[in-house]
Amino acid sequence: MNISPLQAARYQYNPKLPGMLRHGISEICVRSGGATESVADQDKIKALFPNTYGKNEIVFEKGVNTSENKKLTVGVILSGGQAPGGHNVICGLYDALKATNPANVLYGFKGGPSGLLEDDYIIFGDEYINQYRNTGGFDIIGSGRTKLETEEQFAIVVENCRKHGVNALVIIGGDDSNTNAAVLAEYCAAHDTGIQVIGCPKTIDGDLKNEDIECSFGFDTATKTYSEIIGNIERDANSAKKYWHFVKVMGRSASHVALECALQTQPNICLIGEEVAAKKMSLAEIANYIADSVAARAAKGWNFGVAIIPEGIVEFVPEFSVLIAEINELLAGSKADAFNVLPTWEDKYAFIENGLTKQSMAVFALLPQNIQQQLFLERDPHGNVQVSLIESEKLFSALVAENLKARKAAGTYSGKFSPLHHFLGYEGRCAFPSNFDADYCYSLGYNAAMLIQYGFTGYLSKVSNLSKPAEEWVAGGMPITKMMNIERRHGHDKPVIRKALVELEGAPFKYFAEHRDQWAVETSFVYPGAIQYFGPSEVCDLTTRTLALEKA
Amino acid sequence: MNISPLQAARYQYNPKLPGMLRHGISEICVRSGGATESVADQDKIKALFPNTYGKNEIVFEKGVNTSENKKLTVGVILSGGQAPGGHNVICGLYDALKATNPANVLYGFKGGPSGLLEDDYIIFGDEYINQYRNTGGFDIIGSGRTKLETEEQFAIVVENCRKHGVNALVIIGGDDSNTNAAVLAEYCAAHDTGIQVIGCPKTIDGDLKNEDIECSFGFDTATKTYSEIIGNIERDANSAKKYWHFVKVMGRSASHVALECALQTQPNICLIGEEVAAKKMSLAEIANYIADSVAARAAKGWNFGVAIIPEGIVEFVPEFSVLIAEINELLAGSKADAFNVLPTWEDKYAFIENGLTKQSMAVFALLPQNIQQQLFLERDPHGNVQVSLIESEKLFSALVAENLKARKAAGTYSGKFSPLHHFLGYEGRCAFPSNFDADYCYSLGYNAAMLIQYGFTGYLSKVSNLSKPAEEWVAGGMPITKMMNIERRHGHDKPVIRKALVELEGAPFKYFAEHRDQWAVETSFVYPGAIQYFGPSEVCDLTTRTLALEKA
């Protein structure tokens, strides 16, 4: 067997373009909107991007194509973590380039930004690209996490582009990659290289979102895949009626994934990092909040439930961040030597007790021993605690178990608490893109080709009105600088695209907050099931609950 | 939101019956096959089942229904672990009973066999049952693991049945539950209760399979769901190109699930417990086998891969079973006290070193410390090692890492090995049943009603020819005693249905064995994607690769 039946069937799918791009390349013209400015720190951003700042937003519409008919050679890279639909961005880009001029050429630089630096590439042809239509993964050219941000790197990129006659680059990535795309665009413009740079908004985390980006691609498919699995787990919990499932989902800096999954599956508990931070919740408070649900359900005879925990949750807990900082300080540099030579955990524990503040020691003492040990024994090459390794789903179930013990002793709880643990991440980043992501991504790529054809640079390929059918989508471009502000990163001011956190005043969180008390004590599970590609439209074509609520 | 769009759409699905059951109840007649005998130990089984042994196999066909027209009151239970399609068995049973005589009544006893003992039940009606059509889970009446096997229990069951006028029971379960169904049927016949008992073959593990049962229900959907996830992980591995994923899949006593997932996804490695046992492989040999693949791929620059590990694998490793037996012996009863008072792990380790044989100590010394500690510190109430808690996916990745260290030192390996771990179990037991399982289960239930109507007892609802379209399926019944033999269980001879292990001479394993060397070093991943319910027939209606190979 070479490919699955589904993969063969998905090759036949024709992604839907926005209505305005459906009439053929010769009937796409540009309508200019007003000049733009950055969301904040306008003077600083303007000074950093003299050649690309303040350009007009543009929208494509039906009309005579007025672009210059010249041969285009375009390069494309995939940057960062996988997201379903990346292949379709490249397919859309390829198809539009070939439809514009069969002599146009598309280079794929391999393994992410490093492919551009190392001049490692393939040239796309029909036969190769057809194997990747409507498929998941980034295996078409691979991806990587090398950051493209220094002038030295830019010079190499320009040199490699010139070697192949590449006059435009499309960078498919998250907030950092698009930030770097804007900086590269400015560099190319400032040095009169003639090389245009266009970004495409990718990330399953959903945190590349703003006034101009309704959603990043991949979020729809990944959250549907996680929700399928969570729904299956919920149904299992509700059938066996004896386990509490703690399900950690990917998403370190924002809890969009957790929130979307909660909206789709209505679990008993879903923690939201942004709320934990805003309310300055302690570990004990969070555990108590979960234990309230466990106890209320146990009182009804229901010793089962499902809790969704965002991967990055502990970093949002203020007292925990302080503890981590103290541990990093305590073991910085050569101080670690004195610790490392201590023979037993008991000796090490005494050392820790001595070194931490009273407040942090109280937090540390709360933790289960395996997590205490992990914090001290598994450190990165710089000696820092590896927060991402912390199994927060196990941490919270252990804290809840402690809390319930106290309730049992006090006579306020008499149930059974058997937790099981899951982590959902790699399970969803490379799923076959949903019809929505297949359409959206293909449109982003097609649209990127049009932006190149019309000579734009430093723009993000923008497709909006996404809660409506594809016919009504709006295709165009937005200067990336419009989304930027200045943030402090590693001790320096940097122009960056602002990361979108879950807004506690936004409609998705508010809907969740209005319903969660009921979900916590009732069994209101919803079972989304597997992503469908061929069925009725209400099953196959709807995008996320998050977007529906934001646009309602 | 109350139900998902997919659930609403699945309510509209009409499960396909075998052709011979499609003409309406009045046109179903019985064709008798020959008398049967048990697969082994015929004299003993016959003596244990004097009233139900040796009956004829029967098949239904189109013809005048000659059964007696009397009102039926039937009870049904779900027994053991969840499997997709259980709801449809009940729906098929209900529909056939109501089509036969609208006055027929179906009781659902709640929470598994205990519902029968505690007389905890619901009476099904259209409105209630319609909410569960073509859905996953066992939440329609719940399930449980109480074993129904003693005369005292049988007497209570008969009493409760008589109270409601129940004249037949349908038991939906695995090999143990169907064994017990046969014993109950014999009891009911011997005591002239007038109560018939029919079994239905359920288990995602795929180990309830024999000459008469082509596959147990749920296996198709569960393995498709796991394969979806494994395929997604494979695509992620092949995109990121930096992780080895160790994926443990459910299945303790047989490796059918692992094998089917391997046939669907073509991973680099899949361990098969039955082969490990047959070849008497040691932990070190298994680790070396995996490390061969890691090293061969690393030599090509591919520091990534996917390995499938069956949940029960360590129990198949002879030296490991010996070690477990020794540990259980070492800590039996009051001997554990001397161990428990030892203050440090070092002291405990010395105690262990003293107590184990040289051979077992060598195996123990190989294990990573967290697993060593788990074996001694987390024991069940009888003081036994909890083998099912052993994280075998982490055990093998740790052993592989050790093996690779030695290769690195010897200069035969210079790659990077970054393992990640997954466990797939609860993710698939309650998925929406595939079209195959929806059809098969509905047919099993419908067929069970026909067996009851025609007065059979001690029969298994049998639907066969399953690798063909449903039109060609063959519906009928088989005396459960035919599948039985005598096995030694807990020191007693017991009549049981023989558990089906993976046959090393069978077509599915042979296909795997012929291809795995190539899969180990190439990247031959196949990405099945999510289960589809509405698309082209080759995507939606095909059942497992295992069955296709067995029937080829």
Side-chain angles (χ1 to χ4, degrees), chain A residues 199-212:
Chain A
C200 287
K202 171 231 71 168
T203 173
I204 64 156
D205 294 344
D207 56 6
L208 178 49
K209 179 165 77 167
N210 51 47
E211 210 178 275
D212 294 303

Side-chain angles (χ1 to χ4, degrees), chain B residues 274-547:
Chain B
E274 290 84 344
E275 184 184 31
V276 166
K279 295 188 175 168
K280 299 193 183 5
M281 290 176 83
S282 67
L283 292 177
E285 282 167 340
I286 297 170
N288 194 56
Y289 166 68
I290 301 174
D292 279 346
S293 166
V294 175
R297 293 175 62 78
K300 298 184 181 197
W302 295 343
N303 290 302
F304 67 93
V306 172
I308 298 178
I309 314 284
E311 187 184 12
I313 189 75
V314 290
E315 297 174 67
F316 285 94
V317 178
E319 63 178 13
F320 198 82
S321 301
V322 173
L323 169 65
I324 298 300
E326 286 190 24
I327 294 174
N328 286 340
E329 183 54 35
L330 188 60
L331 299 180
S334 59
K335 290 188 242 170
D337 298 341
F339 175 80
N340 292 337
V341 297
L342 297 172
T344 72
W345 175 244
E346 287 69 24
D347 299 327
K348 287 180 154 76
Y349 196 92
F351 177 97
I352 296 163
E353 206 160 11
N354 234 350
L356 294 179
T357 61
K358 255 208 168 59
Q359 290 85 340
S360 283
M361 189 58 212
V363 176
F364 187 75
L366 267 180
L367 305 176
Q369 196 188 60
N370 60 333
I371 291 186
Q372 290 179 334
Q373 295 184 336
Q374 193 181 28
L375 291 179
F376 277 87
L377 305 180
E378 296 175 21
R379 299 198 304 285
D380 73 13
H382 310 289
N384 291 321
V385 172
Q386 299 195 67
V387 181
S388 68
L389 288 185
I390 295 170
E391 296 183 299
S392 43
E393 70 282 24
K394 292 187 181 164
L395 167 61
F396 282 107
S397 80
L399 294 176
V400 169
E402 282 300 315
N403 182 296
L404 292 171
K405 249 189 224 166
R407 293 180 191 230
K408 205 160 238 176
T412 57
Y413 166 74
S414 62
K416 276 184 76 171
F417 178 67
S418 303
L420 290 171
H421 306 93
H422 312 260
F423 172 43
L424 302 180
Y426 303 95
E427 289 74 1
R429 307 195 311 175
C430 290
F432 285 88
S434 63
N435 288 350
F436 172 82
D437 270 327
D439 297 347
Y440 180 37
C441 290
Y442 189 84
S443 300
L444 286 171
Y446 201 95
N447 190 53
M450 287 300 100
L451 290 169
I452 294 167
Q453 176 67 23
Y454 270 103
F456 296 102
T457 189
Y459 274 64
L460 188 101
S461 177
K462 173 177 171 179
V463 177
S464 56
N465 210 27
L466 297 171
S467 61
K468 297 287 170 17
E471 171 69 34
E472 299 169 40
W473 290 357
V474 178
M478 178 62 71
I480 299 174
T481 50
K482 169 159 190 271
M483 304 164 197
M484 295 177 103
N485 65 177
I486 299 288
E487 291 180 19
R488 199 85 187 154
R489 298 267 174 102
H490 304 296
H492 299 280
D493 278 352
K494 264 197 79 173
V496 296
I497 298 177
R498 191 182 278 174
K499 219 183 244 305
L501 300 181
V502 170
E503 290 185 20
L504 303 184
E505 292 306 313
F509 180 79
K510 280 171 98 168
Y511 181 94
F512 167 69
E514 280 159 22
H515 291 83
R516 62 178 160 185
D517 290 348
Q518 191 191 340
W519 299 351
V521 295
E522 306 292 330
T523 300
S524 309
F525 300 155
V526 172
Y527 315 118
I531 296 183
Q532 296 300 300
Y533 302 95
F534 306 98
S537 179
E538 68 275 16
V539 176
C540 295
D541 294 328
L542 292 181
T543 181
T544 60
R545 297 270 298 146
T546 298
L547 192 63

Side-chain angles (χ1 to χ4, degrees), chain B residues 86-108:
Chain B
H87 288 171
N88 267 28
V89 178
I90 296 176
C91 294
L93 177 62
Y94 177 85
D95 287 354
L97 287 172
K98 292 293 182 182
T100 303
N101 182 347
N104 286 345
V105 178
L106 181 61
Y107 282 72

Side-chain angles (χ1 to χ4, degrees), chain B residues 164-197:
Chain B
H164 304 295
V166 166
N167 33 35
L169 285 174
V170 175
I171 292 178
I172 304 170
D175 53 341
D176 278 351
S177 303
N178 277 289
T179 290
N180 294 339
V183 182
L184 177 60
E186 177 63 28
Y187 176 94
C188 288
H191 292 74
D192 252 337
T193 61
I195 299 170
Q196 300 160 244
V197 183

Side-chain angles (χ1 to χ4, degrees), chain A residues 265-442:
Chain A
T265 63
Q266 303 185 175
N268 306 106
I269 294 287
C270 175
L271 302 180
I272 300 295
E274 290 83 345
E275 183 184 31
V276 166
K279 294 187 175 167
K280 300 192 181 8
M281 290 177 82
S282 68
L283 291 177
E285 281 167 340
I286 297 170
N288 194 56
Y289 167 68
I290 301 174
D292 278 347
S293 167
V294 175
R297 293 175 64 75
K300 299 184 181 195
W302 295 342
N303 290 302
F304 67 93
V306 172
I308 298 178
I309 313 283
E311 187 184 13
I313 189 75
V314 290
E315 298 175 68
F316 285 94
V317 179
E319 63 179 14
F320 198 83
S321 301
V322 172
L323 169 65
I324 298 301
E326 285 189 26
I327 294 175
N328 286 341
E329 183 54 35
L330 188 60
L331 300 179
S334 59
K335 290 189 243 170
D337 298 340
F339 175 79
N340 292 338
V341 297
L342 297 172
T344 70
W345 174 244
E346 286 70 23
D347 299 328
K348 287 181 156 76
Y349 197 92
F351 177 97
I352 295 162
E353 206 159 12
N354 233 349
L356 295 179
T357 61
K358 254 207 169 61
Q359 292 84 341
S360 284
M361 189 57 212
V363 177
F364 186 76
L366 267 182
L367 304 177
Q369 196 187 61
N370 61 334
I371 291 186
Q372 289 178 335
Q373 293 183 337
Q374 193 182 29
L375 291 178
F376 277 87
L377 305 180
E378 294 173 25
R379 298 198 306 283
D380 73 13
H382 309 289
N384 291 322
V385 172
Q386 299 195 66
V387 181
S388 68
L389 289 185
I390 295 170
E391 297 184 296
S392 43
E393 71 281 25
K394 292 186 182 165
L395 168 60
F396 282 108
S397 79
L399 295 176
V400 169
E402 281 301 313
N403 182 297
L404 292 171
K405 248 188 226 166
R407 291 180 192 229
K408 207 160 238 175
T412 57
Y413 166 75
S414 61
K416 277 184 77 171
F417 178 66
S418 304
L420 290 171
H421 305 94
H422 312 261
F423 172 43
L424 302 179
Y426 303 96
E427 289 74 2
R429 307 194 312 175
C430 290
F432 284 87
S434 62
N435 289 350
F436 172 82
D437 270 327
D439 297 345
Y440 180 37
C441 290
Y442 189 83

Side-chain angles (χ1 to χ4, degrees), chain A residues 37-42 45 174-180 203 206-213 216 253-254 256 480-489 494-503:
Chain A
E37 51 179 36
S38 61
V39 284
D41 309 309
Q42 289 83 4
I45 304 283
D175 53 341
D176 279 350
S177 303
N178 277 289
T179 289
N180 293 339
T203 173
D207 56 6
L208 178 49
K209 179 165 77 167
N210 51 47
E211 210 178 275
D212 294 303
I213 303 176
S216 53
S253 35
H256 298 287
I480 298 174
T481 50
K482 169 159 190 270
M483 303 162 196
M484 296 178 104
N485 64 177
I486 299 289
E487 292 180 18
R488 199 84 187 155
R489 297 267 173 103
K494 263 196 79 172
V496 296
I497 298 176
R498 190 184 279 174
K499 219 183 246 304
L501 300 180
V502 171
E503 290 185 21

Side-chain angles (χ1 to χ4, degrees), chain A residues 158-208:
Chain A
V158 168
E159 190 190 322
N160 285 330
C161 285
R162 282 194 172 136
K163 191 157 79 185
H164 303 295
V166 167
N167 32 36
L169 285 173
V170 175
I171 293 178
I172 304 170
D175 53 341
D176 279 350
S177 303
N178 277 289
T179 289
N180 293 339
V183 181
L184 176 60
E186 176 65 27
Y187 175 94
C188 288
H191 293 74
D192 251 338
T193 61
I195 299 170
Q196 301 160 244
V197 183
I198 302 293
C200 287
K202 171 231 71 168
T203 173
I204 64 156
D205 294 344
D207 56 6
L208 178 49

